[in-house]
mmCIF file of all heavy atoms in Angstrom:
data_model
loop_
_atom_site.group_PDB
_atom_site.id
_atom_site.type_symbol
_atom_site.label_atom_id
_atom_site.label_comp_id
_atom_site.label_asym_id
_atom_site.label_seq_id
_atom_site.Cartn_x
_atom_site.Cartn_y
_atom_site.Cartn_z
ATOM 1 N N LEU C 15 -1.608 -27.597 10.310
ATOM 2 C CA LEU C 15 -0.366 -27.498 11.095
ATOM 3 C C LEU C 15 0.556 -26.469 10.457
ATOM 4 O O LEU C 15 1.116 -25.585 11.130
ATOM 5 C CB LEU C 15 0.310 -28.869 11.161
ATOM 6 C CG LEU C 15 1.582 -28.909 11.998
ATOM 7 C CD1 LEU C 15 1.256 -28.784 13.477
ATOM 8 C CD2 LEU C 15 2.356 -30.193 11.729
ATOM 9 N N TYR C 20 3.078 -20.966 10.285
ATOM 10 C CA TYR C 20 3.381 -19.669 9.673
ATOM 11 C C TYR C 20 2.786 -18.525 10.500
ATOM 12 O O TYR C 20 3.339 -17.442 10.570
ATOM 13 C CB TYR C 20 2.824 -19.606 8.246
ATOM 14 C CG TYR C 20 3.735 -20.211 7.217
ATOM 15 C CD1 TYR C 20 3.601 -21.536 6.832
ATOM 16 C CD2 TYR C 20 4.756 -19.479 6.641
ATOM 17 C CE1 TYR C 20 4.442 -22.113 5.892
ATOM 18 C CE2 TYR C 20 5.607 -20.016 5.697
ATOM 19 C CZ TYR C 20 5.443 -21.345 5.330
ATOM 20 O OH TYR C 20 6.294 -21.889 4.410
ATOM 21 N N LEU C 21 1.631 -18.798 11.108
ATOM 22 C CA LEU C 21 0.972 -17.742 11.898
ATOM 23 C C LEU C 21 1.633 -17.551 13.253
ATOM 24 O O LEU C 21 1.482 -16.498 13.873
ATOM 25 C CB LEU C 21 -0.489 -18.111 12.127
ATOM 26 C CG LEU C 21 -1.475 -17.852 11.011
ATOM 27 C CD1 LEU C 21 -2.887 -18.140 11.495
ATOM 28 C CD2 LEU C 21 -1.395 -16.388 10.581
ATOM 29 N N ILE C 27 2.534 -12.907 19.471
ATOM 30 C CA ILE C 27 2.603 -11.505 19.896
ATOM 31 C C ILE C 27 1.205 -10.911 20.021
ATOM 32 O O ILE C 27 0.892 -10.236 21.002
ATOM 33 C CB ILE C 27 3.427 -10.693 18.863
ATOM 34 C CG1 ILE C 27 4.859 -11.213 18.745
ATOM 35 C CG2 ILE C 27 3.414 -9.205 19.207
ATOM 36 C CD1 ILE C 27 5.670 -11.070 19.984
ATOM 37 N N LEU C 28 0.369 -11.187 19.026
ATOM 38 C CA LEU C 28 -0.952 -10.560 19.026
ATOM 39 C C LEU C 28 -1.821 -11.083 20.167
ATOM 40 O O LEU C 28 -2.593 -10.332 20.754
ATOM 41 C CB LEU C 28 -1.653 -10.802 17.683
ATOM 42 C CG LEU C 28 -1.014 -10.088 16.494
ATOM 43 C CD1 LEU C 28 -1.673 -10.486 15.189
ATOM 44 C CD2 LEU C 28 -1.095 -8.575 16.672
ATOM 45 N N ILE C 66 -15.664 6.996 38.625
ATOM 46 C CA ILE C 66 -15.138 7.947 37.629
ATOM 47 C C ILE C 66 -16.195 8.924 37.162
ATOM 48 O O ILE C 66 -15.899 10.067 36.863
ATOM 49 C CB ILE C 66 -14.468 7.271 36.404
ATOM 50 C CG1 ILE C 66 -15.425 6.370 35.672
ATOM 51 C CG2 ILE C 66 -13.163 6.594 36.757
ATOM 52 C CD1 ILE C 66 -14.961 6.100 34.245
ATOM 53 N N VAL C 83 -12.381 17.603 19.869
ATOM 54 C CA VAL C 83 -12.857 16.958 18.641
ATOM 55 C C VAL C 83 -13.711 17.941 17.837
ATOM 56 O O VAL C 83 -13.533 18.086 16.626
ATOM 57 C CB VAL C 83 -13.654 15.683 18.988
ATOM 58 C CG1 VAL C 83 -14.381 15.147 17.750
ATOM 59 C CG2 VAL C 83 -12.722 14.630 19.533
ATOM 60 N N ILE C 89 -12.956 22.136 11.276
ATOM 61 C CA ILE C 89 -12.014 23.075 10.649
ATOM 62 C C ILE C 89 -11.028 22.311 9.777
ATOM 63 O O ILE C 89 -10.750 22.685 8.636
ATOM 64 C CB ILE C 89 -11.258 23.890 11.718
ATOM 65 C CG1 ILE C 89 -12.260 24.697 12.569
ATOM 66 C CG2 ILE C 89 -10.254 24.822 11.077
ATOM 67 C CD1 ILE C 89 -11.625 25.421 13.732
ATOM 68 N N TYR C 115 2.563 20.175 2.512
ATOM 69 C CA TYR C 115 1.436 20.040 3.442
ATOM 70 C C TYR C 115 1.529 18.741 4.234
ATOM 71 O O TYR C 115 0.975 18.624 5.324
ATOM 72 C CB TYR C 115 0.102 20.092 2.684
ATOM 73 C CG TYR C 115 -0.280 21.487 2.250
ATOM 74 C CD1 TYR C 115 -0.173 21.908 0.931
ATOM 75 C CD2 TYR C 115 -0.739 22.397 3.193
ATOM 76 C CE1 TYR C 115 -0.508 23.185 0.555
ATOM 77 C CE2 TYR C 115 -1.079 23.684 2.819
ATOM 78 C CZ TYR C 115 -0.959 24.081 1.507
ATOM 79 O OH TYR C 115 -1.285 25.357 1.144
ATOM 80 N N PHE C 116 2.183 17.748 3.657
ATOM 81 C CA PHE C 116 2.231 16.432 4.298
ATOM 82 C C PHE C 116 3.345 16.340 5.335
ATOM 83 O O PHE C 116 3.327 15.454 6.190
ATOM 84 C CB PHE C 116 2.429 15.360 3.218
ATOM 85 C CG PHE C 116 2.125 13.971 3.703
ATOM 86 C CD1 PHE C 116 0.815 13.579 3.929
ATOM 87 C CD2 PHE C 116 3.145 13.057 3.941
ATOM 88 C CE1 PHE C 116 0.526 12.320 4.388
ATOM 89 C CE2 PHE C 116 2.845 11.789 4.407
ATOM 90 C CZ PHE C 116 1.533 11.416 4.625
ATOM 91 N N VAL C 123 5.202 13.936 17.295
ATOM 92 C CA VAL C 123 4.257 14.842 17.956
ATOM 93 C C VAL C 123 4.963 15.587 19.077
ATOM 94 O O VAL C 123 4.779 16.801 19.252
ATOM 95 C CB VAL C 123 3.069 14.059 18.529
ATOM 96 C CG1 VAL C 123 2.140 14.999 19.296
ATOM 97 C CG2 VAL C 123 2.300 13.358 17.420
ATOM 98 N N TYR C 143 3.748 37.743 18.062
ATOM 99 C CA TYR C 143 4.407 38.759 17.235
ATOM 100 C C TYR C 143 3.557 39.091 16.015
ATOM 101 O O TYR C 143 3.312 40.255 15.701
ATOM 102 C CB TYR C 143 5.803 38.275 16.840
ATOM 103 C CG TYR C 143 6.454 39.088 15.759
ATOM 104 C CD1 TYR C 143 6.911 40.402 16.028
ATOM 105 C CD2 TYR C 143 6.617 38.585 14.467
ATOM 106 C CE1 TYR C 143 7.509 41.161 15.037
ATOM 107 C CE2 TYR C 143 7.214 39.328 13.473
ATOM 108 C CZ TYR C 143 7.662 40.620 13.764
ATOM 109 O OH TYR C 143 8.250 41.361 12.778
ATOM 110 N N GLY C 174 -2.388 17.454 11.446
ATOM 111 C CA GLY C 174 -3.150 16.424 10.760
ATOM 112 C C GLY C 174 -3.627 16.803 9.380
ATOM 113 O O GLY C 174 -4.198 15.977 8.663
ATOM 114 N N PHE C 177 -2.453 14.603 6.194
ATOM 115 C CA PHE C 177 -3.085 13.286 6.094
ATOM 116 C C PHE C 177 -4.455 13.411 5.439
ATOM 117 O O PHE C 177 -4.768 12.700 4.481
ATOM 118 C CB PHE C 177 -3.210 12.679 7.496
ATOM 119 C CG PHE C 177 -4.011 11.420 7.543
ATOM 120 C CD1 PHE C 177 -3.416 10.197 7.258
ATOM 121 C CD2 PHE C 177 -5.359 11.429 7.866
ATOM 122 C CE1 PHE C 177 -4.140 9.029 7.301
ATOM 123 C CE2 PHE C 177 -6.099 10.256 7.919
ATOM 124 C CZ PHE C 177 -5.491 9.059 7.626
ATOM 125 N N GLY C 185 -9.736 10.609 -2.929
ATOM 126 C CA GLY C 185 -11.168 10.586 -3.194
ATOM 127 C C GLY C 185 -11.513 11.385 -4.438
ATOM 128 O O GLY C 185 -12.291 10.954 -5.277
ATOM 129 N N ALA C 196 -19.644 16.888 -18.550
ATOM 130 C CA ALA C 196 -21.086 16.969 -18.767
ATOM 131 C C ALA C 196 -21.632 18.253 -18.147
ATOM 132 O O ALA C 196 -22.429 18.964 -18.769
ATOM 133 C CB ALA C 196 -21.773 15.752 -18.172
ATOM 134 N N SER C 203 -21.482 26.597 -13.408
ATOM 135 C CA SER C 203 -20.323 27.371 -12.980
ATOM 136 C C SER C 203 -19.439 26.531 -12.079
ATOM 137 O O SER C 203 -19.836 25.447 -11.642
ATOM 138 C CB SER C 203 -20.796 28.609 -12.211
ATOM 139 O OG SER C 203 -21.399 28.189 -11.005
ATOM 140 N N ARG C 207 -20.502 23.331 -9.969
ATOM 141 C CA ARG C 207 -19.889 22.023 -10.191
ATOM 142 C C ARG C 207 -19.409 21.431 -8.879
ATOM 143 O O ARG C 207 -19.536 20.260 -8.613
ATOM 144 C CB ARG C 207 -18.728 22.134 -11.187
ATOM 145 C CG ARG C 207 -19.164 22.346 -12.608
ATOM 146 C CD ARG C 207 -18.049 22.084 -13.604
ATOM 147 N NE ARG C 207 -16.876 22.945 -13.384
ATOM 148 C CZ ARG C 207 -16.617 24.032 -14.071
ATOM 149 N NH1 ARG C 207 -17.413 24.402 -15.054
ATOM 150 N NH2 ARG C 207 -15.535 24.741 -13.829
ATOM 151 N N ILE C 211 -21.444 18.249 -7.951
ATOM 152 C CA ILE C 211 -20.719 17.032 -8.335
ATOM 153 C C ILE C 211 -19.716 16.649 -7.262
ATOM 154 O O ILE C 211 -19.779 15.555 -6.688
ATOM 155 C CB ILE C 211 -19.985 17.201 -9.684
ATOM 156 C CG1 ILE C 211 -21.004 17.539 -10.761
ATOM 157 C CG2 ILE C 211 -19.244 15.920 -10.040
ATOM 158 C CD1 ILE C 211 -20.391 17.921 -12.063
ATOM 159 N N ALA C 240 3.339 17.106 25.698
ATOM 160 C CA ALA C 240 4.530 17.850 25.286
ATOM 161 C C ALA C 240 4.289 19.352 25.244
ATOM 162 O O ALA C 240 5.167 20.128 25.604
ATOM 163 C CB ALA C 240 5.005 17.354 23.915
ATOM 164 N N LYS C 262 -4.311 8.565 36.175
ATOM 165 C CA LYS C 262 -4.811 7.585 37.138
ATOM 166 C C LYS C 262 -3.865 6.394 37.225
ATOM 167 O O LYS C 262 -3.593 5.855 38.286
ATOM 168 C CB LYS C 262 -6.210 7.103 36.722
ATOM 169 C CG LYS C 262 -7.304 8.093 36.996
ATOM 170 C CD LYS C 262 -7.602 8.193 38.489
ATOM 171 C CE LYS C 262 -8.380 9.471 38.796
ATOM 172 N NZ LYS C 262 -7.767 10.374 39.701
ATOM 173 N N GLU C 265 0.501 7.935 37.293
ATOM 174 C CA GLU C 265 0.887 8.836 38.374
ATOM 175 C C GLU C 265 0.285 8.433 39.708
ATOM 176 O O GLU C 265 0.888 8.624 40.747
ATOM 177 C CB GLU C 265 0.500 10.277 38.017
ATOM 178 C CG GLU C 265 1.370 10.832 36.884
ATOM 179 C CD GLU C 265 0.917 12.202 36.407
ATOM 180 O OE1 GLU C 265 -0.088 12.720 36.935
ATOM 181 O OE2 GLU C 265 1.564 12.734 35.472
ATOM 182 N N GLU C 266 -0.957 7.886 39.643
ATOM 183 C CA GLU C 266 -1.623 7.568 40.898
ATOM 184 C C GLU C 266 -1.739 6.068 41.161
ATOM 185 O O GLU C 266 -2.226 5.668 42.210
ATOM 186 C CB GLU C 266 -3.029 8.208 40.918
ATOM 187 C CG GLU C 266 -2.997 9.711 40.769
ATOM 188 C CD GLU C 266 -4.393 10.290 40.567
ATOM 189 O OE1 GLU C 266 -5.378 9.613 40.909
ATOM 190 O OE2 GLU C 266 -4.484 11.418 40.058
ATOM 191 N N TRP C 267 -1.328 5.256 40.201
ATOM 192 C CA TRP C 267 -1.370 3.798 40.338
ATOM 193 C C TRP C 267 -2.767 3.262 40.667
ATOM 194 O O TRP C 267 -2.936 2.281 41.383
ATOM 195 C CB TRP C 267 -0.356 3.307 41.390
ATOM 196 C CG TRP C 267 1.035 3.558 40.909
ATOM 197 C CD1 TRP C 267 1.662 4.771 40.894
ATOM 198 C CD2 TRP C 267 1.935 2.631 40.323
ATOM 199 N NE1 TRP C 267 2.903 4.657 40.336
ATOM 200 C CE2 TRP C 267 3.094 3.346 39.990
ATOM 201 C CE3 TRP C 267 1.869 1.266 40.062
ATOM 202 C CZ2 TRP C 267 4.186 2.723 39.388
ATOM 203 C CZ3 TRP C 267 2.947 0.640 39.483
ATOM 204 C CH2 TRP C 267 4.096 1.372 39.143
ATOM 205 N N ILE C 282 -16.768 4.709 23.521
ATOM 206 C CA ILE C 282 -16.984 5.893 22.676
ATOM 207 C C ILE C 282 -16.462 5.616 21.267
ATOM 208 O O ILE C 282 -17.149 5.839 20.268
ATOM 209 C CB ILE C 282 -16.286 7.139 23.274
ATOM 210 C CG1 ILE C 282 -16.945 7.517 24.608
ATOM 211 C CG2 ILE C 282 -16.324 8.302 22.295
ATOM 212 C CD1 ILE C 282 -16.166 8.557 25.409
ATOM 213 N N THR C 287 -16.959 3.658 15.435
ATOM 214 C CA THR C 287 -16.573 2.631 14.472
ATOM 215 C C THR C 287 -17.815 1.947 13.917
ATOM 216 O O THR C 287 -17.928 1.705 12.710
ATOM 217 C CB THR C 287 -15.668 1.579 15.133
ATOM 218 O OG1 THR C 287 -14.672 2.249 15.881
ATOM 219 C CG2 THR C 287 -15.022 0.679 14.103
#
Side-chain angles (χ1 to χ4, degrees):
Chain C
L15 182 72
Y20 276 94
L21 279 187
I27 299 296
L28 292 175
I66 59 160
V83 169
I89 300 174
Y115 284 106
F116 196 72
V123 176
Y143 167 71
F177 172 84
S203 67
R207 287 195 301 260
I211 301 172
K262 284 287 163 239
E265 290 174 0
E266 301 171 20
W267 294 76
I282 294 169
T287 314

